[in-house]
Amino acid sequence: MNTKGTVVFDIIGTCFSLDKPRQRLVELGAPPHALQLWFAQTLRDAFALSHAGGYRPLKEVLEAELPRTLKVLLIEADAEQRRTLSRPASLTHVVNAFSELEPQPEALEAFRLLTTAGWKLVALTNGSEDSTHKLLDRANALEYFANIFSCDAIQKTKPHPDVYALAKQDASADVWMVAAHAWDIAGAACAGLRTAFINQEEKDYLSVYPQPEVIACDLVEAANQIVELDLIAK
């Protein structure tokens, strides 16, 4: 029986790197920062639709957002791409990279550390349950996770409190949220979860948000701090 509590992991950009879609955008002629712009705008518009009372799965918003992002960046497929691939096929190749994300180098070690210490691990994602299951399976990480919760189940995106409530159900001890996105940590904190922010990508946390209990450079450091804080509390 789990006696420690639950550690909830964000998946896209936290447990899994966005290097693959970044590289495919670069192959289309986009600058490396195009990935951050595309993903940020996708999240913004997914949040906006959800907040307004509508909902579309994350992949559909990614697909809709990509042509506009490239247009903003004045990116066109180069001559060789135009000869070998249609524009829609090129963009599909980029979007499909989200189904081929590689785990962060230290992810499995972090998962092992926490489960060995007695914590239950849960995935909580704005992506689909099926795609998350496949990513974890490909990374040989599926065995560490007791549940996968997707916002698709309630048709609301993080950071809505109802999404974090999915991960809190049946929890009888501490529930931690680990994420590399400040907005996700803020949402979790507002929903009553303890929080660990991975600052590798965004660097600084936003001062107007509820502050995380843990700030770590990677998943292993976050896992170690969660374990240490639990030991101190006892």
Side-chain angles (χ1 to χ4, degrees):
M1 177 181 293
N2 177 59
T3 58
K4 295 291 185 181
T6 302
V7 180
V8 183
F9 282 94
D10 171 61
I11 297 299
I12 302 171
T14 298
C15 295
F16 288 82
S17 167
L18 295 175
D19 284 347
K20 188 159 286 188
R22 178 181 290 111
Q23 181 56 40
R24 291 192 182 169
L25 282 169
V26 169
E27 290 167 1
L28 280 181
H33 72 267
L35 183 280
Q36 283 90 339
L37 178 61
W38 174 35
F39 195 51
Q41 291 191 150
T42 294
L43 291 174
R44 178 200 65 197
D45 292 335
F47 295 169
L49 185 60
S50 176
H51 184 73
Y55 183 81
R56 297 294 287 272
L58 183 65
K59 185 176 181 181
E60 292 183 19
V61 186
L62 282 165
E63 291 169 341
E65 200 74 53
L66 182 54
R68 182 169 69 172
T69 300
L70 294 178
K71 186 175 290 187
V72 167
L73 293 171
L74 305 177
I75 303 301
E76 293 290 341
D78 62 28
E80 180 60 28
Q81 287 171 323
R82 286 196 294 271
R83 283 195 296 271
T84 59
L85 288 173
S86 69
R87 186 67 170 186
S90 298
L91 300 191
T92 297
H93 185 59
V94 176
V95 174
N96 285 347
F98 276 85
S99 66
E100 304 166 16
L101 301 179
E102 296 296 333
Q104 300 288 8
E106 76 285 3
L108 290 180
E109 182 181 351
F111 302 155
R112 280 194 294 267
L113 190 159
L114 287 164
T115 52
T116 299
W119 293 83
K120 180 174 78 171
L121 305 191
V122 168
L124 184 66
T125 181
N126 278 338
S128 73
E129 181 180 348
D130 180 63
S131 65
T132 303
H133 187 282
K134 289 176 180 176
L135 285 175
L136 291 170
D137 192 30
R138 286 178 66 246
N140 296 316
L142 191 59
E143 64 182 290
Y144 297 108
F145 285 81
N147 296 101
I148 298 171
F149 296 114
S150 167
C151 63
D152 290 347
I154 58 171
Q155 299 207 336
K156 296 176 184 176
T157 67
K158 288 189 290 178
H160 194 287
D162 287 354
V163 183
Y164 301 102
L166 292 171
K168 291 172 66 178
Q169 60 189 353
D170 301 325
S172 58
D174 285 346
V175 181
W176 283 84
M177 180 77 203
V178 179
H181 315 294
W183 59 262
D184 202 355
I185 291 297
C190 289
L193 281 68
R194 303 181 72 178
T195 54
F197 175 58
I198 310 297
N199 65 2
Q200 194 171 53
E201 182 68 26
E202 295 184 4
K203 308 307 180 189
D204 291 333
Y205 192 78
L206 204 60
S207 62
V208 296
Y209 281 164
Q211 296 300 294
E213 292 184 59
V214 166
I215 296 179
C217 66
D218 62 25
L219 293 168
V220 167
E221 184 183 346
N224 277 319
Q225 288 197 49
I226 289 170
V227 170
E228 288 170 11
L229 286 171
D230 180 68
L231 290 174
I232 291 171
K234 291 184 169 46

